Amino acid sequence: MKVTADHRSLQLQDGALIHRHAGEPLSLEEAQARFAEGRFERVAEDATSALNFGLTRDELWLQITLETAETLPRRWLLEVGHASLDHIDLYLAQEGGAFSRYHDGDRQPFTQRALPHRNPLFVLDLAPATRYILLMRVRSEGTLTVPMTLWQPDALWQSDQHHYMVLGLYYGLLLSLFIYNLFLFLSLRDPLYLTYVGFVGFLGIGQAGLSGLASQFLWPSNAWLANLSPIGGVTLAGLFGGLFVQRFLASTARKLRLSWLMPSLSLAYGLTFLCSLLVSYHLATLAVNLISLVFVAAALGMGSVSLYRREPGARFFVLAWFCLLLGVLVYILHNLGILPSNLWVTNAMMIGSSLEMLLLSLALADRIHDLQHQKDIAQAEALTTRQRMLEMGRQNEQVLEARIAERTQRLEEANRLLQQSHELLERQANHDVLTGLANRKLLNERLLEARARVDRHGGHLAMAVVDLNGFKPINDTLGHASGDRVLVELAQRLQATARRTDTVARVGGDEFVLLLESLAPEDREKIQRKLMACCRSPIEMEDGLEVTVSLSIGIALYPDDTQDLDTLFTLADDAMYRDKAASRAAETGRA
């Protein structure tokens, strides 16, 4: 091939001879011997296609003869435009002279490269009017494609500006989507956004590995990570992509009974990543191409069903995966050696993935918009239904009012009777039926509460036991109705003498008990006089007859007399009987 000063760049495929070798690597001398035997073949007319050999472990040798013009710059740069090649050995010699050896590839750290460039780059010193023999040996576990361009340095620099601008736009887009959806996840706590963040992040790492940016910017000193970036990024992106599709199309997957499909593909991607680490990078590369084809086709199919069912975000989802499917299909066909290497083919995954991520973001936004739209529709339907119900209500207002009034009256009557029954039952449970005073049950409850207050705040509690003297003759001579009249009147008088905080209870036929709080010990006689005053005026019967009665009263104080409540009642009862006995003795003395 003729190299002149007019060549700003020169594609070297046109004059290349190639030789594929399977087995142990050939030495330079062995390769020269095979070249001498005529075992090197000329590249076909479609040179770009011939230098893409797909996924193979074969060793590729290329021979190119360069003839320089009489006047030309001495410094030239030879670029191999595929960043993920493992080993590249370049041998250059003037015709008949000794070969100089240069080495590059992603198996050596980026910091050891002659020039800091994302693609393998060799510096050539070409003398004018000289014939050069160039031999190149290429080996790789991944796709074996060898696009070679001979550049003048300033021409390469100008070309790089365009490439780095495109890559900058691509990764700027990825970073924006990554950060935006990460904030959405932190705000909404929806795992759907986290799976999308993982998908975008690892896909960016995979593309960085394919474009050479991973070794240049991410891991310039770690050749192992730089070499792992393409397959590792793509497999982990597929893992998160499967989880994302599963969540985004969950209802469709359940409808089709394919809820197992995307998790299975995510598992396959994970196993492929482990295979690249522990078993074989080459086998992992073959597997990821096949899994990706199935994955994208399945996602596109499920998305189409979702679109048919008019699910939220389905239209953008289908377009997104259609773009990615085209990119993956072109990438796989290129890896298999079916499609040639050119700008569009080699960047098909980057183009397809950028469109796919944009459209998936729109799908997420459309999903949110659809949910809001469904909410608005539901509110509108609710409003319409409400207006219809109001209209029907106006039409049937009179009938409804009559029925409601009747039903309301019945319910009110039923509620009134129920309330009365409840109050009656509660009163019967806690009050004496005849007098309406507290019964023994309520007395015991009030006694416990009063003792708790005295124990907490101090003071005294008085229990007064009151018994009616001469009540039996009234029953015997005037009848039980008159006896009941006497008990009711006495209960009212006792209740009138008590304070609101005191409790008056009937615990027997003619026996009453009073609980009196906040008293001093010296109030005992005052209480007894106040109670005795209840019987000073006679009780008038219904027939006009008046009856005079007297009381026997016993009082005990808590805690002065005792701290036991049962004993307190016993003491008050004993005091009452002593008072009764004293009253009888006094009456006998007067007689």
Side-chain angles (χ1 to χ4, degrees):
M1 297 185 67
K2 190 71 173 179
V3 182
T4 68
D6 295 332
H7 287 126
R8 303 282 293 168
S9 64
L10 182 63
Q11 299 294 326
L12 300 184
Q13 290 90 335
D14 292 342
L17 299 175
I18 62 172
H19 175 65
R20 293 181 63 169
H21 169 70
E24 293 296 324
L26 297 177
S27 65
L28 174 62
E29 292 74 17
E30 290 172 333
Q32 287 179 298
R34 295 197 178 195
F35 175 74
E37 294 170 3
R39 297 173 66 175
F40 277 61
E41 301 176 354
R42 181 166 296 279
V43 175
E45 292 182 2
D46 186 0
T48 56
S49 175
L51 292 186
N52 178 31
F53 300 92
L55 293 170
T56 177
R57 289 181 171 177
D58 291 350
E59 182 179 77
L60 179 67
W61 281 87
L62 299 98
Q63 192 276 344
I64 301 172
T65 302
L66 300 177
E67 294 182 6
T68 59
E70 294 182 357
T71 58
L72 83 163
R74 293 186 64 92
R75 192 168 187 269
W76 292 80
L77 301 176
L78 175 58
E79 179 190 21
V80 180
H82 192 65
S84 60
L85 294 173
D86 293 346
H87 300 284
I88 306 173
D89 293 295
L90 175 67
Y91 301 92
L92 180 67
Q94 295 183 9
E95 189 173 28
F99 281 95
S100 299
R101 180 179 178 271
Y102 308 87
H103 179 75
D104 208 332
D106 70 353
R107 287 299 181 95
Q108 74 173 20
F110 183 85
T111 53
Q112 297 181 11
R113 289 189 175 180
L115 290 175
H117 196 272
R118 64 187 182 90
N119 288 327
L121 200 63
F122 301 94
V123 181
L124 305 183
D125 184 15
L126 301 181
T130 306
R131 185 182 179 88
Y132 288 92
I133 304 299
L134 184 150
L135 282 172
M136 181 179 288
R137 176 174 56 192
V138 184
R139 288 180 291 119
S140 185
E141 291 286 319
T143 304
L144 188 61
T145 180
V146 195
M148 297 184 298
T149 307
L150 188 64
W151 295 90
Q152 291 195 33
D154 58 339
L156 176 60
W157 182 85
Q158 293 176 5
S159 175
D160 281 345
Q161 306 312 303
H162 299 289
H163 284 95
Y164 279 104
M165 180 188 69
V166 173
L167 291 172
L169 291 174
Y170 176 75
Y171 287 103
L173 172 65
L174 257 65
L175 183 61
S176 300
L177 294 176
F178 181 90
I179 295 175
Y180 174 70
N181 286 278
L182 180 61
F183 277 122
L184 283 178
F185 166 72
L186 295 176
S187 175
L188 303 176
R189 297 294 178 181
D190 187 346
L192 176 68
Y193 295 98
L194 183 61
T195 57
Y196 184 72
V197 165
F199 173 70
V200 171
F202 284 111
L203 187 60
I205 292 176
Q207 289 297 319
L210 292 173
S211 63
L213 297 181
S215 61
Q216 183 175 3
F217 297 108
L218 299 181
W219 302 287
S221 301
N222 194 321
W224 181 78
L225 284 177
N227 177 259
L228 182 65
S229 295
I231 185 68
V234 172
T235 52
L236 293 178
L239 187 151
F240 280 96
L243 297 177
F244 172 77
V245 173
Q246 176 66 19
R247 287 187 171 275
F248 194 92
L249 301 179
S251 60
T252 300
R254 288 193 298 268
K255 184 73 174 180
L256 299 176
R257 297 183 179 179
L258 293 177
S259 299
W260 55 269
L261 179 58
M262 286 301 160
S264 300
L265 290 174
S266 293
L267 178 62
Y269 275 117
L271 294 176
T272 303
F273 175 70
L274 295 178
C275 176
S276 68
L277 293 176
L278 306 175
V279 182
S280 170
Y281 189 101
H282 180 73
L283 291 177
T285 306
L286 287 171
V288 77
N289 281 277
L290 297 176
I291 296 171
S292 297
L293 191 59
V294 174
F295 168 58
V296 178
L300 183 60
M302 292 173 63
S304 300
V305 175
S306 180
L307 178 62
Y308 176 77
R309 297 177 62 196
R310 299 180 181 274
E311 293 192 359
R315 50 181 178 171
F316 291 111
F317 184 90
V318 171
L319 288 175
W321 289 100
F322 179 73
C323 292
L324 186 62
L325 176 62
L326 289 180
V328 169
L329 185 61
V330 171
Y331 175 74
I332 292 173
L333 294 178
H334 173 262
N335 288 346
L336 297 177
I338 298 174
L339 291 180
S341 294
N342 57 46
L343 178 64
W344 296 103
V345 172
T346 55
N347 294 301
M349 271 291 290
M350 185 174 71
I351 297 170
S353 62
S354 60
L355 292 174
E356 184 243 7
M357 284 182 285
L358 274 175
L359 290 168
L360 282 182
S361 295
L362 292 176
L364 290 172
D366 187 59
R367 187 181 187 188
I368 296 174
H369 176 268
D370 188 80
L371 291 175
Q372 183 62 42
H373 180 64
Q374 293 296 332
K375 181 180 178 181
D376 293 341
I377 291 176
Q379 290 178 344
E381 290 178 350
L383 181 61
T384 302
T385 302
R386 183 180 179 184
Q387 291 175 345
R388 188 181 300 115
M389 292 176 64
L390 289 174
E391 183 63 27
M392 293 175 62
R394 293 189 190 98
Q395 295 175 358
N396 300 283
E397 184 175 356
Q398 294 180 348
V399 176
L400 288 176
E401 285 182 354
R403 292 180 179 179
I404 290 172
E406 181 182 358
R407 180 66 58 85
T408 301
Q409 184 177 2
R410 291 179 181 177
L411 289 175
E412 289 177 350
E413 180 64 20
N415 287 334
R416 186 181 63 80
L417 295 176
L418 182 63
Q419 184 66 24
Q420 288 179 353
S421 299
H422 177 73
E423 293 175 355
L424 179 60
L425 289 174
E426 184 177 359
R427 186 167 186 82
Q428 288 176 349
N430 294 286
H431 293 81
D432 178 59
V433 177
L434 177 63
T435 63
L437 298 179
N439 59 12
R440 187 179 294 274
K441 174 178 176 296
L442 183 58
L443 175 66
N444 290 333
E445 293 176 0
R446 298 275 178 87
L447 181 60
L448 293 174
E449 294 172 358
R451 182 180 69 173
R453 285 191 291 271
V454 170
D455 292 342
R456 187 181 305 114
H457 303 294
H460 295 81
L461 170 68
M463 175 179 284
V465 177
V466 179
D467 190 75
L468 188 61
N469 297 326
F471 178 69
K472 187 175 183 302
I474 295 175
N475 269 339
D476 294 342
T477 59
L478 301 179
H480 288 285
S482 297
D484 290 345
R485 170 66 179 169
V486 171
L487 292 175
V488 171
E489 181 63 25
L490 180 60
Q492 292 175 354
R493 294 182 181 184
L494 291 174
Q495 187 70 58
T497 63
R499 298 167 299 180
R500 292 181 60 185
T501 57
D502 298 335
T503 300
V504 182
R506 181 188 177 204
V507 296
D510 58 350
E511 188 174 0
F512 299 86
V513 175
L514 286 84
L515 284 181
L516 309 171
E517 297 185 54
S518 302
L519 299 173
E522 56 270 19
D523 292 335
R524 190 192 303 257
E525 294 181 1
K526 179 180 177 181
I527 296 170
Q528 190 159 3
R529 289 195 302 271
K530 189 175 181 180
L531 294 176
M532 291 296 293
C534 294
C535 298
R536 289 177 181 172
S537 59
I539 299 173
E540 185 177 353
M541 299 291 103
E542 292 182 354
D543 55 2
L545 180 66
E546 292 183 346
V547 175
T548 302
V549 296
S550 63
L551 300 177
S552 295
I553 302 170
I555 300 174
L557 293 179
Y558 176 91
D560 293 11
D561 296 336
T562 182
Q563 294 185 1
D564 181 72
L565 298 183
D566 292 335
T567 305
L568 183 69
F569 181 81
T570 301
L571 293 175
D573 195 55
D574 291 345
M576 182 271 293
Y577 278 109
R578 287 196 298 272
D579 185 55
K580 184 182 288 288
S583 298
R584 289 175 180 171
E587 290 178 2
T588 303
R590 287 195 298 270

